[in-house]
Amino acid sequence: MSLEIRATSANSKLKCCKERKKRKVGVSKTIQLRCPKCATLAADPRQFRCAMCGAVHEVQVGIGHLTPNDFIRMRQSRDLSIWRWSDFLPVENRSSIVSLGEGSTPLLPAQRLGDRIGIANLYLKNDTVLPTGSLKDRSNSVGMSVGKELGFATASVISTGNAAASVAAYAAAAGMPSVVMVPKGTAASKIIQAHAYGATVIVVDGRFDYEVAELYKKAVAEFGWYDCLSSNPYRVGKKSYAYELVDQLDGALPEWVIHPTAGGTGILCMWQGFQDFLKLGWIARAPKLVAAQSEKAAPFVAALQKGSASIEAVEALETVAESIQVGNPAALGNRALAALRESQGTAVALSDGEILEAQALTARLAGIFAEPAAATSVAAAKKMRGQGSIDRDDIVVCHLTGHGLKQPEAIQVPEDEIRPIAPTLAALKERVRRGQDSDR
Ligand SMILES: [Zn+2]
C-alpha cells in the first residue's frame, strides 16, 4: 500500500522536456533515459535514441532506496501481475498502468521431461498462458503504460506474429489505436489476432528487414506513432522474469536459464533484473543465461563462436521457429551479447528437427503445447546436457515463450486421425487398436 501512495502522491504532469529529464516519482523513484554508450542523458523522455551517437537509450529506474522489507512487501502483494514489481519499472503513475494480468506464470517442475533428457531439476516457465499467448505481453504492458503516460496517440509495430498481437491487445486495453505493418505474403493466421484486437493491419509489398522496415521508420517519423519495437527503451517488462524466478524458487537460484532468442530483449532485460536484485543484496549470484536460437538464424551463436565483441547480421533463413527468425538484432543485440558473456552463459543453435522433437516432448511429457520457437529452450537443454555442459543435478529453467496454437500448422496430424470411422463399435475397436499400435 505504501508503494501505491508513494508512486501516485507527488506526481504532476511536468510541462517541459527539461523538467522531465529526470522524472521524479514520489519521494524516491526516479526515471531517466541514458545512453549506455556515451552516458548522455536524454533531454526528452520521448527520445528513444541518443542524439550524440544514435544508440538506443537505456531506461534507468532509481532503486537505491529499496530495502529487504520492500522485497517482502512485493512478494506478499495480492497483485500477481508483473506490476507487483513496479518499483523496478519505468512508470510514474499507477493510474497509467495498462495491464491484462500478465505475469506470475507457472514455474513447473517437469519430472518426466527431465528424466527423458537427463536433468533432475528441470523447470518450465510457462509463458504460453500470458494474455495474448506469448512473452511479448510482459514488454508491452510496460511499454504501453509509458506510451499512455507520455501522451502518445497511436501505437505501432512491424511484426509477423506475436508482437503484432500483443501490441494490438495492449493498445486496445489502453484505448489507443494501433497500426501493424507486415510484409506481403504473411499468412493470414499470423495477422488474425492483431486484427481481432482492432489493429489497422497494413500489408506492404516488400521484404520484412528491408523495404517494410524502411517504410515503417519513415512512417513513425511522419505520423509520430508510438514505436513498440525493441528500439523502444521502455519495454523492459521482461526484467520480471528474474524477479519471478527468484520469488518462485524461494532462494534456490537456477544454474541455468534458457531463453528462446531473436532480438535479445529477453536476455538483456532478464540480466538487468538479476542485476537489480544483486545490487540490493537480495540474491548472492545470478544464473548463467543461455540464448536458444534456430540454426537458420543464429547471430548470437556466431558471435560467441567467433569471440566477436559485436553481433554481425546474418541472413535469416526459413525455420520452423518462426517467432525467432531474426538475423539482425540491431537495436539491442550487442548489449544482449555482453549480458550472455557476463553471466558466463552461452548460445545454442538448434536444427528444425531438434526443435520439433522438443516441442513434441514438451507437449507429451509435460502437458504444455508450446510453439516451435518456444521449444528451442527445451531443445537447447537437451543438447547441452548431451554435450555435458549442463550437469545432471543442475537446476535448469526453460522459458516457454509462446503458445502452440500460434503456429498450428507446425503439427502434422496423421491422415488416420482425421479420416472418419463408421459409427459402429467394431470400427471403433479397430481404430483404437491402430492408434495404440502407432503410439508404440
Ligand atoms: Zn550516446
Side-chain angles (χ1 to χ4, degrees):
M1 198 57 192
S2 62
L3 165 76
E4 295 188 21
I5 293 163
R6 257 208 329 270
T8 51
S9 61
N11 250 299
S12 56
K13 283 246 153 61
L14 297 175
K15 285 132 206 133
C16 94
C17 300
K18 226 171 188 180
E19 273 181 88
R20 295 198 70 139
K21 195 167 185 175
K22 198 166 188 176
R23 294 190 282 155
K24 245 193 167 336
V25 184
V27 290
S28 43
K29 190 176 176 186
T30 55
I31 300 166
Q32 63 186 358
L33 290 181
R34 181 179 168 276
C35 175
K37 258 188 172 170
C38 69
T40 309
L41 292 179
D44 181 344
R46 289 165 158 251
Q47 187 191 329
F48 292 176
R49 285 181 184 269
C50 174
M52 307 300 287
C53 74
V56 174
H57 278 135
E58 193 168 77
V59 68
Q60 297 188 321
V61 180
I63 56 168
H65 60 287
L66 296 173
T67 68
N69 281 338
D70 290 306
F71 189 32
I72 293 167
R73 166 180 55 77
M74 292 173 204
R75 293 188 70 184
Q76 290 176 344
S77 170
R78 294 182 67 186
D79 179 357
L80 294 181
S81 77
I82 59 170
W83 295 98
R84 66 159 56 187
W85 313 106
S86 63
D87 293 71
F88 298 97
L89 302 174
V91 170
E92 289 187 22
N93 291 296
R94 284 196 74 86
S95 60
S96 314
I97 290 174
V98 182
S99 177
L100 295 168
E102 60 294 313
S104 296
T105 54
L107 182 69
L108 302 160
Q111 191 68 50
R112 290 176 63 222
L113 180 58
D115 287 347
R116 173 68 76 92
I117 65 178
I119 297 174
N121 299 297
L122 178 68
Y123 290 85
L124 301 175
K125 180 71 171 155
N126 185 11
D127 265 14
T128 72
V129 303
L130 283 171
T132 73
S134 92
L135 81 168
K136 302 284 182 185
D137 296 345
R138 293 180 186 269
S139 303
N140 288 317
S141 176
V142 180
M144 207 61 70
S145 301
V146 178
K148 191 175 151 191
E149 198 157 73
L150 295 178
F152 281 94
T154 301
S156 66
V157 76
I158 43 170
S159 162
T160 58
N162 292 338
S166 182
V167 167
Y170 281 84
M176 205 187 284
S178 62
V179 179
V180 173
M181 283 168 53
V182 302
K184 183 180 162 186
T186 301
S189 61
K190 300 284 168 209
I191 47 183
I192 283 172
Q193 208 183 352
H195 173 80
Y197 292 123
T200 300
V201 180
I202 300 173
V203 182
V204 181
D205 188 1
R207 294 164 299 171
F208 186 82
D209 283 333
Y210 301 91
E211 295 87 354
V212 185
E214 218 28 63
L215 178 63
Y216 176 75
K217 218 165 135 187
K218 286 181 194 159
V220 168
E222 174 77 19
F223 300 111
W225 290 340
Y226 182 58
D227 178 9
C228 298
L229 287 178
S230 50
S231 45
N232 175 333
Y234 296 111
R235 296 170 69 262
V236 292
K238 290 176 194 162
K239 292 208 294 182
S240 57
Y241 276 128
Y243 314 144
E244 287 182 18
L245 288 179
V246 172
D247 179 46
Q248 290 175 313
L249 286 169
D250 202 18
L253 274 169
E255 269 73 35
W256 303 92
V257 180
I258 310 180
H259 187 78
T261 298
T265 316
I267 292 287
L268 179 62
C269 287
M270 193 175 14
W271 187 239
Q272 289 170 340
F274 283 118
Q275 296 306 307
D276 286 343
F277 275 19
L278 277 171
K279 273 180 218 150
L280 292 166
W282 295 357
I283 52 175
R285 63 166 181 88
K288 290 176 269 213
L289 306 187
V290 179
Q293 301 210 279
S294 159
E295 65 182 13
K296 308 278 184 60
F300 286 95
V301 179
L304 286 176
Q305 277 172 355
K306 281 186 203 156
S308 340
S310 58
I311 295 263
E312 273 175 46
V314 299
E315 193 190 345
L317 304 174
E318 207 169 298
T319 165
V320 69
E322 289 174 355
S323 297
I324 53 169
Q325 189 182 337
V326 171
N328 184 17
L332 302 175
N334 290 342
R335 281 147 68 188
L337 180 66
L340 285 178
R341 285 205 169 99
E342 276 172 46
S343 80
Q344 314 285 320
T346 187
V348 180
L350 291 317
S351 69
D352 279 5
E354 288 170 318
I355 294 167
L356 289 173
E357 183 202 15
Q359 182 189 32
L361 289 176
T362 305
R364 291 166 185 219
L365 298 178
I368 301 174
F369 183 27
E371 66 175 355
T376 54
S377 59
V378 173
K382 181 170 183 280
K383 193 164 199 168
M384 290 176 70
R385 177 70 191 108
Q387 292 166 342
S389 39
I390 287 180
D391 287 336
R392 183 175 172 79
D393 293 327
D394 284 351
I395 300 179
V396 179
V397 174
C398 290
H399 286 180
L400 297 176
T401 46
H403 201 289
L405 289 175
K406 291 276 194 173
Q407 195 185 330
E409 64 280 5
I411 304 296
Q412 303 289 323
V413 182
E415 277 291 310
D416 200 29
E417 287 193 12
I418 300 166
R419 197 180 311 119
I421 60 162
T424 66
L425 196 55
L428 178 65
K429 279 180 178 168
E430 170 58 18
R431 176 66 189 83
V432 168
R433 188 191 57 73
R434 283 203 309 276
Q436 284 166 344
D437 284 349
S438 66
D439 280 350
R440 278 192 197 116

